[in-house]
Amino acid sequence: PPTTPPPGDAMATVAAMQPGWNLGNSLDAVGSDETAWGNPRITEALLDNVRAQGFKSIRIPVTWSAHLGGAPSYAIETAYLNRVKEVVDWALADDFYVMINIHHDSWQWIANMPADRTNVLARYNAIWTQLSATFRNSSPKLVFESVNEPQFSNSSGDAQNATLLHELNTSFHTIVRQSGGNNATRLLVLPTLHTSSDQARIDELTATFTALNDRNLIATVHYYGYWPFSVNVAGGTRFDATVQKDLTDSFDRVYNAFVARGIPVIIGEYGLLGFDRHTGTIEQGEKLKFFEFLGHYARTKKITTMLWDNGQHFHRTAFTWSDPELFAQIKSSWTTRSGTASSDLLFNAKASAISAKTLTLNLNGTSFLGVRQGSTDLVQGTDYTVSGDQLTFTASALTRLTGNRAYGVNATLHARFSQGVPWRINVITYDRPVLANATGATSAFTIPTQFRGDQLATMEARYADGSNAGPHNWTPFKEFDVTFAPHYSTNTIALTSTFFAEVNDGAPVTLTFHFWSGTTVSYRVTKSGSTVTGTAL
């Protein structure tokens, strides 16, 4: 699309907003100011550097609740409104498309609408009346989003939820349009309930779009992936067909309901829910496959995406990526596809002779070019062979690459393709991990662990009768980092108080640790009051 699409062409404008980035956990922080959740104050330099990464739009979530006066005017604190405008103006000066909204107010007080409709609506309307006046003459590149992740507490059900959200979206639309200036045609973003892409939620928003009959509207949902994979629970360790189908079904639904009818869609937030704890919750290669595919499929469905970043991805003062490999994959997905493989980990057991190892290539429409170690090309036929989608490394090459067979990563290779980013493959020497007996408290129990080059994927927990132990007792596979976590630097596996809170007293629990090499190791823990005894099996 042209850099500045013609006015009134919402589809072209939203296409020009791709890709987008969220300034998360700053102005949306619940507390005294934008630093309340640990991020530094926003600077012009930060926005300049985000723009330099290739982002075309920026979503600036704003929580207003701590900065509002009382009824009936609900006046926004002048200093706070000026600060929001300052940041918006910086972003506009950087030639960003900018989206602002009402953010965590959604669960703080808007959720009370079923029981307090009059007061909630008055407060909501007062905010948008003031914002409409403040930004009335701002650039058309500024976009308003009615409310983030709308939700209602203690409603009578779906019908009432739909009615209340329709009322909020419609009131927002009326207030902004009637305020004149650039607001008469400003692009407005309307969410589904919970910003869900479930069909029923989409149908409800479709009805609102039909009623409003305004060509300058955008639909929005959020996407954080298939939940078991997104948080690593219930054995959801891999980007498999189920995870992929969840994504394609979600994007297909919004495409069919909106994009196919000429209504643009923005995925206002995307990522993986496990990132709320840390980005290591999901194994790196599986994570890369998820983001490669998400970027590709969003492009095919003409959907604009906005990466959720609460400070865990782009450093707010150093202006560097915490995981450059992840960002390279995301950035590449905006324009092309990349080849991947069944794994980025290639394990050789130290206890046995090295043999040939095979990975399955996912070409994704690319052509395989070869394998490189640093600047040196491996030799096809000698170091590896390719048969269809099967990439096999020879025993002789792996022997050379592993060297003295020290535990851990011995060599890093890159499979190269005709387009996109190369696929990193770590060649690893490992042995079966060794766990030791231990005693401790339910508040802080750790298992001494010799990982011996291996990496932990997931953990099962079962009582002696085979029933599931611990939280999420519908599955034996517990949630990574919430109930257990490997700590490679201290050679321990921690079991959390969250895990023990839902373990029966005096009932031995057999833990089965699944490692990425395919090895499993069993261990038994027994809780007695606040004391835990652990035994290697």
Side-chain angles (χ1 to χ4, degrees):
T3 304
T4 306
D9 190 343
M11 283 290 295
T13 301
V14 171
M17 292 172 71
Q18 172 66 8
W21 181 83
N22 275 271
L23 182 57
N25 287 22
S26 286
L27 288 167
D28 56 314
V30 173
S32 57
D33 74 354
E34 67 198 78
T35 66
W37 282 356
N39 277 323
R41 281 178 63 81
I42 302 158
T43 61
E44 275 187 279
L46 169 64
L47 302 188
D48 294 346
N49 279 275
V50 171
R51 188 73 174 90
Q53 302 304 310
F55 291 99
K56 304 290 181 59
S57 60
I58 183 169
R59 181 171 179 259
I60 304 175
V62 187
T63 299
W64 304 94
S65 57
H67 307 280
L68 296 178
S73 62
Y74 298 103
I76 301 171
E77 181 185 297
T78 302
Y80 190 70
L81 184 56
N82 288 343
R83 173 57 172 162
V84 172
K85 189 171 190 305
E86 178 178 49
V87 175
V88 167
D89 288 346
W90 286 343
L92 291 170
D94 270 331
D95 204 29
F96 273 116
Y97 287 90
V98 183
M99 186 192 301
I100 61 170
N101 68 1
I102 293 178
H103 203 77
H104 289 302
D105 307 78
S106 61
W107 57 264
Q108 288 183 307
W109 54 269
I110 294 173
N112 299 327
M113 198 172 174
D116 193 19
R117 176 183 165 277
T118 301
N119 289 323
V120 167
L121 192 61
R123 195 174 181 185
Y124 174 85
N125 288 347
I127 294 173
W128 277 118
T129 298
Q130 293 170 81
L131 296 183
S132 296
T134 299
F135 294 102
R136 181 175 180 272
N137 296 315
S138 291
S139 163
K141 292 187 109 173
L142 176 63
V143 175
F144 294 161
E145 177 185 32
S146 63
V147 60
N148 172 69
E149 297 184 353
Q151 54 196 276
F152 301 105
S153 302
N154 303 311
S155 75
S156 59
D158 288 350
Q160 185 182 19
N161 290 336
T163 298
L164 295 176
L165 180 56
H166 176 77
E167 186 168 18
L168 289 176
N169 279 332
T170 301
S171 187
F172 158 73
H173 177 265
T174 300
I175 289 166
V176 176
R177 288 288 179 255
Q178 289 182 351
S179 65
N182 285 336
N183 291 343
T185 54
R186 188 175 304 286
L187 285 170
L188 304 180
V189 181
L190 306 183
T192 58
L193 187 74
H194 303 292
T195 51
S196 163
S197 58
D198 289 350
Q199 191 62 53
R201 308 288 79 81
I202 291 170
D203 291 345
E204 293 158 1
L205 186 61
T206 300
T208 298
F209 272 77
T210 300
L212 292 177
N213 191 28
D214 181 339
R215 67 179 184 172
N216 289 313
L217 299 180
I218 301 165
T220 190
V221 297
H222 293 172
Y223 190 72
Y224 283 100
Y226 179 63
W227 182 68
F229 174 75
S230 189
V231 301
N232 191 349
V233 73
T237 57
R238 293 187 181 275
F239 181 70
D240 59 16
T242 301
V243 179
Q244 183 169 313
K245 186 176 187 298
D246 184 85
L247 189 153
T248 56
D249 285 353
S250 179
F251 288 19
D252 286 351
R253 286 192 296 268
V254 293
Y255 175 86
N256 293 335
F258 299 112
V259 179
R261 297 172 50 205
I263 298 168
V265 171
I266 293 175
I267 307 289
E269 297 177 15
Y270 76 93
L272 290 166
L273 292 172
F275 285 1
D276 283 349
R277 301 185 66 82
H278 60 73
T279 57
T281 298
I282 291 86
E283 195 276 326
Q284 183 75 354
E286 305 306 312
K287 186 193 315 174
L288 294 174
K289 286 183 273 191
F290 171 83
F291 284 98
E292 190 281 330
F293 187 80
L294 186 148
H296 152 70
Y297 207 72
R299 269 191 299 117
T300 69
K301 296 299 174 182
K302 302 177 184 175
I303 296 169
T304 287
T305 59
M306 292 182 151
L307 178 68
W308 179 255
D309 190 347
N310 63 21
Q312 82 272 62
H313 293 311
F314 192 65
H315 196 281
R316 299 285 169 91
T317 54
F319 311 134
T320 55
W321 292 97
S322 60
D323 187 342
E325 182 180 55
L326 174 60
F327 180 63
Q329 186 68 273
I330 291 172
K331 187 169 186 175
S332 179
S333 77
W334 298 337
T335 56
T336 191
R337 294 217 66 179
S338 296
T340 66
S342 51
S343 181
D344 60 337
L345 308 173
L346 205 160
F347 287 94
N348 296 295
K350 189 169 186 174
S352 57
I354 292 176
S355 59
K357 300 287 189 307
T358 299
L359 295 173
T360 300
L361 297 173
N362 308 309
L363 293 171
N364 298 331
T366 72
S367 302
F368 175 76
L369 297 182
V371 181
R372 188 169 285 172
Q373 181 187 21
S375 58
T376 303
D377 287 320
L378 272 62
V379 179
Q380 185 167 352
T382 303
D383 296 327
Y384 67 89
T385 60
V386 180
S387 177
D389 61 359
Q390 301 296 293
L391 170 62
T392 300
F393 293 93
T394 63
S396 59
L398 293 175
T399 299
R400 183 182 79 247
L401 292 165
T402 54
N404 65 3
R405 305 188 75 180
Y407 289 137
V409 178
N410 303 133
T412 299
L413 310 176
H414 286 92
R416 298 182 304 108
F417 302 89
S418 55
Q419 61 192 46
V421 295
W423 180 255
R424 176 192 43 75
I425 302 164
N426 282 347
V427 180
I428 298 169
T429 294
Y430 81 101
D431 263 335
R432 187 175 188 272
V434 176
L435 280 55
N437 296 347
T439 56
T442 53
S443 59
F445 180 77
T446 58
I447 304 170
T449 305
Q450 298 175 47
F451 289 99
R452 305 211 292 178
D454 217 334
Q455 298 173 31
L456 186 58
T458 187
M459 177 189 86
E460 291 181 86
R462 288 188 170 94
Y463 293 113
D465 65 1
S467 62
N468 302 328
H472 300 313
N473 64 6
W474 48 271
T475 173
F477 289 94
K478 303 298 99 174
E479 186 172 351
F480 192 101
D481 202 48
V482 171
T483 56
F484 72 97
H487 296 293
Y488 300 105
S489 61
T490 59
N491 297 307
T492 57
I493 297 173
L495 300 181
T496 67
S497 58
T498 300
F499 173 71
F500 287 113
E502 297 189 44
V503 166
N504 298 335
D505 205 65
V509 177
T510 297
L511 307 176
T512 304
F513 292 99
H514 293 253
F515 292 85
W516 279 103
S517 68
T519 301
T520 59
V521 179
S522 296
Y523 193 85
R524 181 168 296 135
V525 291
T526 305
K527 181 178 84 167
S528 178
S530 62
T531 301
V532 180
T533 302
T535 307
L537 298 177

